[in-house]
Amino acid sequence: MAIFLTKDSRVLVQGMTGAEGTRHTARMLAAGTDVVAGVTPGKGGRSADFGERTVPVFGSVAEAVEETGADVSVVFVPPRFTGGAVEEAVAAGVPLCVVITEGVPVHDTVRFRALAQGRTRIIGPNCPGLISPGQSSAGIIPADITFAGRIGLVSKSGTLTYQLMYELRDLGFSTCVGIGGDPVVGTTHIDCLRAFQDDPGTDAIVLIGEIGGDAEERAAAHIAGHVTKPVVAYVAGFTAPEGRTMGHAGAIVSGSSGTAQAKKEALEAAGVRVGRTPSETARLMRSVLAGAR
């Protein structure tokens, strides 16, 4: 099985006729994703040709959902229009909205996350999306670096998502979810931990965090009380220079709070094995799974 995204998911792409939307729609189709529609205001009634697949373009999400039954939206819309695009997907009743766009104003994210509460699962913004290998991909995660398996992965970092997928490609993944590195995101580490815990197709979980905020500490508390499957973690930022501004908007450290060391200690206290590098993290996962057999 998988979480959030399966072979039955019907995907629409907001901003599909733009350069990024076109490029990544082609890659999602190549990964086996059932892309059923594109949405670009003012271009309804057209279609986009992707070789063996022609995808209809609609002027609104509501129209696309009504005509195609789409239940996942992937957003490739410039930052200043992203808030409106997500709100349109929520209003159209789309259950899952994956926001790839980087640079979305935080107040826009706060607004559409509140609007989506109890109606639409938001993943992102500023994320690579998610992939259930061999079933479907919604976003920009490369589909050719791993295979289907029984490890679940949740990560703040896009690049580290790809690296752990590659390091553990022979074991494979149920679903890999990039939740994004902004200070405010929709789906959290804890949301994914709950879903992987309940997924019979997931045997173990890789959690990737980074410096800043307290998401990993809160995830550790959740693991201690609610997760029975083995969890292995990696926290990026052990060598981050003090006082240096980092790339991710959420990577803000205040005193000792939010440091990689503090997160490592919180996770280890919850029984999670934490690697110092991505390669060591992969070795720990192999060790955990070998012990479970």
Side-chain angles (χ1 to χ4, degrees):
M1 289 183 66
I3 66 168
F4 307 152
L5 185 75
T6 72
K7 61 181 176 54
D8 297 322
S9 297
R10 295 174 64 80
V11 175
L12 69 84
V13 180
Q14 291 180 256
M16 191 177 74
T17 57
E20 291 301 312
T22 298
R23 175 187 175 198
H24 289 290
T25 297
R27 295 180 67 177
M28 286 189 278
L29 286 166
T33 307
D34 188 12
V35 180
V36 298
V39 174
T40 301
K43 294 188 177 180
R46 301 184 187 183
S47 61
D49 187 5
F50 295 93
E52 296 180 355
R53 184 80 173 258
T54 298
V55 179
V57 178
F58 297 88
S60 72
V61 177
E63 185 183 4
V65 169
E66 181 177 352
E67 293 292 327
T68 69
D71 54 12
V72 178
S73 174
V74 185
V75 178
F76 291 100
V77 172
R80 68 182 184 280
F81 301 125
T82 297
V86 175
E87 289 170 356
E88 185 183 350
V90 174
V94 176
L96 175 63
C97 184
V98 184
V99 188
I100 305 300
T101 309
E102 180 179 1
V104 178
V106 173
H107 61 270
D108 284 356
T109 303
V110 170
R111 189 183 67 245
F112 66 63
R113 190 179 70 163
L115 179 68
Q117 191 72 32
R119 303 166 68 184
T120 298
R121 174 176 298 283
I122 303 291
I123 295 180
N126 187 19
C127 79
L130 70 165
I131 182 170
S132 298
Q135 298 191 53
S136 187
S137 174
I140 64 175
I141 296 176
D144 56 354
I145 56 176
T146 195
F147 301 94
R150 300 182 66 84
I151 300 173
L153 187 153
V154 53
S155 172
K156 274 185 176 179
S157 163
T159 304
L160 293 172
T161 300
Y162 312 154
Q163 183 166 355
L164 264 297
M165 287 171 61
Y166 183 76
E167 297 259 8
L168 294 168
R169 62 193 180 281
D170 56 319
L171 298 176
F173 292 84
S174 54
T175 301
C176 304
V177 186
I179 60 174
D182 279 6
V184 179
V185 296
T187 296
T188 65
H189 281 120
I190 293 174
D191 295 326
C192 294
L193 289 166
R194 285 197 185 104
F196 283 133
Q197 174 68 24
D198 293 340
D199 176 27
T202 299
D203 291 340
I205 303 165
V206 177
L207 183 151
I208 301 174
E210 59 186 11
I211 58 173
D214 65 349
E216 294 78 7
E217 287 89 339
R218 285 185 280 116
H222 178 80
I223 290 167
H226 303 284
V227 178
T228 59
K229 295 178 180 179
V231 181
V232 171
Y234 173 66
V235 180
F238 277 104
T239 59
E242 187 175 351
R244 176 81 58 85
T245 300
M246 307 305 289
H248 270 182
I252 300 171
V253 177
S254 177
S256 61
S257 176
T259 64
Q261 185 62 34
K263 294 173 185 294
K264 177 176 184 288
E265 291 172 1
L267 288 162
E268 289 179 337
V272 177
R273 302 180 69 178
V274 182
R276 295 281 300 190
T277 66
S279 294
E280 182 185 357
T281 306
R283 287 196 295 274
L284 289 174
M285 176 54 78
R286 292 180 190 284
S287 160
V288 165
L289 291 177
R293 292 188 184 110

